[in-house]
């Protein structure tokens, strides 16, 4: 049973445009959500997180939106840059304890110059 | 900041051979440590986590085991590898309750 779903395995976006990566979850107990970015042959790196008490968190070009009623979150990257090309993983937990993280399968973003 | 060291970066092993992957942590004391695996076309699957020396919790029953002989050392092992053990193995750690997980650069294991 996949509790965190990233239904788009890949996404291509022109440089300078907005990238929107989506994530859905089924476990209503999840209340802390994270996005990780992964380059080939490297470990994932933390990008941004959001707690369920918020519906938006922004960090520079990256914004995460949370819709608790729809059990949906999204990552917006504006403007997209070629260096953003990577695999993005959505993760969720019941509370902020890391060992509870459940990851999605990832979405491969390609930003075309 | 916290650094997670993993080696080797790539490994090719025959079926039935043993495995030992080592992970060490710098920059924090008493971290929670984790082993994840990313198999082809799948997300990151938590295999083991450890909250302290000698304390191991297994999330998925399998052919693998983990040990934590020292505070900053976490080892993933197998006595006999299976083809299905192929994948990308990631060690991760956190030092504080609210800190995000920090990952090492992983080991690409191919079992032939």
């Amino acid at each position: 049973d996949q509790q965190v779903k990233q239904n788009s395995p890949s996404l291509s976006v022109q440089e300078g445009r907005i990238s929107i990566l989506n994530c859905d979850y089924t476990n209503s107990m999840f209340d802390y959500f994270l996005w990780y970015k992964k380059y080939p042959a490297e470990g994932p790196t933390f990008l941004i997180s959001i707690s369920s008490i918020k519906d938006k968190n922004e960090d520079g070009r990256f914004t995460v939106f949370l819709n608790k009623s729809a059990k949906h979150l999204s990552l917006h990257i504006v403007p997209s840059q070629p260096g953003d090309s990577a695999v993005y993983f959505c993760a969720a937990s019941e509370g902020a304890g890391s060992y509870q993280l459940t990851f999605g399968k990832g979405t491969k973003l390609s930003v075309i110059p | 900041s916290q650094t997670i060291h993993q080696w080797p970066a790539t490994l090719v092993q025959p079926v039935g051979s043993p495995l030992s992957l080592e992970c060490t942590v710098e920059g924090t004391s008493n971290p929670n440590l984790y082993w994840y695996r990313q198999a082809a076309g799948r997300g990151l699957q938590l295999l083991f986590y450890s909250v302290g020396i000698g304390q191991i919790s297994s999330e998925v029953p399998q052919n693998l085991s983990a040990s934590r002989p020292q505070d900053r050392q976490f080892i993933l092992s197998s006595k006999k590898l299976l083809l299905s053990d192929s994948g990308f193995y990631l060690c991760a750690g956190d030092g504080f309750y609210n800190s995000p997980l920090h990952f090492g650069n992983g080991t690409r294991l191919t079992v032939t």
Side-chain angles (χ1 to χ4, degrees):
Chain A
D1 178 34
Q2 207 178 338
Q3 298 188 66
V4 177
K5 300 177 184 179
Q6 294 178 254
N7 292 320
S8 297
S10 63
L11 174 68
S12 289
V13 173
Q14 287 291 130
E15 180 179 4
R17 306 293 291 268
I18 184 172
S19 295
I20 300 176
L21 295 98
N22 294 305
C23 178
D24 297 292
Y25 61 95
T26 57
N27 186 344
S28 58
M29 299 300 291
F30 286 150
D31 60 1
Y32 184 60
F33 305 90
L34 307 90
W35 284 94
Y36 278 81
K37 176 180 178 180
K38 184 183 179 301
Y39 293 116
E42 294 184 11
T45 55
F46 169 71
L47 198 55
I48 193 168
S49 65
I50 188 167
S51 161
S52 61
I53 62 173
K54 293 184 173 183
D55 55 16
K56 176 183 174 181
N57 189 25
E58 193 171 352
D59 183 3
R61 297 185 297 113
F62 302 91
T63 303
V64 56
F65 294 92
L66 176 63
N67 182 333
K68 290 184 289 293
S69 61
K71 293 191 179 69
H72 176 83
L73 65 155
S74 60
L75 175 68
H76 293 211
I77 307 174
V78 183
S80 301
Q81 299 174 354
D84 296 328
S85 298
V87 176
Y88 290 78
F89 289 98
C90 172
S93 71
E94 299 177 30
S98 295
Y99 58 81
Q100 300 285 353
L101 284 183
T102 301
F103 284 86
K105 290 185 178 182
T107 296
K108 183 177 181 180
L109 173 66
S110 299
V111 180
I112 304 163
Chain B
S1 65
Q2 196 177 34
T3 302
I4 309 284
H5 297 284
Q6 274 188 258
W7 63 92
T10 59
L11 189 60
V12 180
Q13 292 282 102
V15 168
S17 64
L19 173 74
S20 181
L21 300 180
E22 188 165 343
C23 168
T24 58
V25 181
E26 289 182 8
T28 187
S29 297
N30 196 30
N32 296 323
L33 297 176
Y34 314 84
W35 279 109
Y36 280 85
R37 176 173 63 196
Q38 183 185 13
R42 305 188 68 177
L44 297 170
Q45 181 186 34
L46 178 63
L47 302 176
F48 301 95
Y49 69 90
S50 171
V51 299
I53 296 173
Q55 301 180 63
I56 308 294
S57 296
S58 174
E59 290 293 304
V60 181
Q62 60 218 316
N63 184 41
L64 303 168
S65 62
S67 61
R68 188 165 175 180
Q70 300 179 41
D71 180 47
R72 301 180 190 183
Q73 185 183 28
F74 202 24
I75 298 171
L76 183 70
S77 304
S78 173
K79 292 183 180 178
K80 287 186 178 181
L81 285 168
L82 306 172
L83 285 174
S84 58
D85 292 324
S86 294
F88 192 53
Y89 288 83
L90 289 154
C91 180
D94 66 48
F96 306 97
Y97 178 69
N98 280 326
S99 73
L101 216 52
H102 299 266
F103 285 88
N105 278 335
T107 294
R108 171 72 59 190
L109 172 66
T110 303
V111 182
T112 60

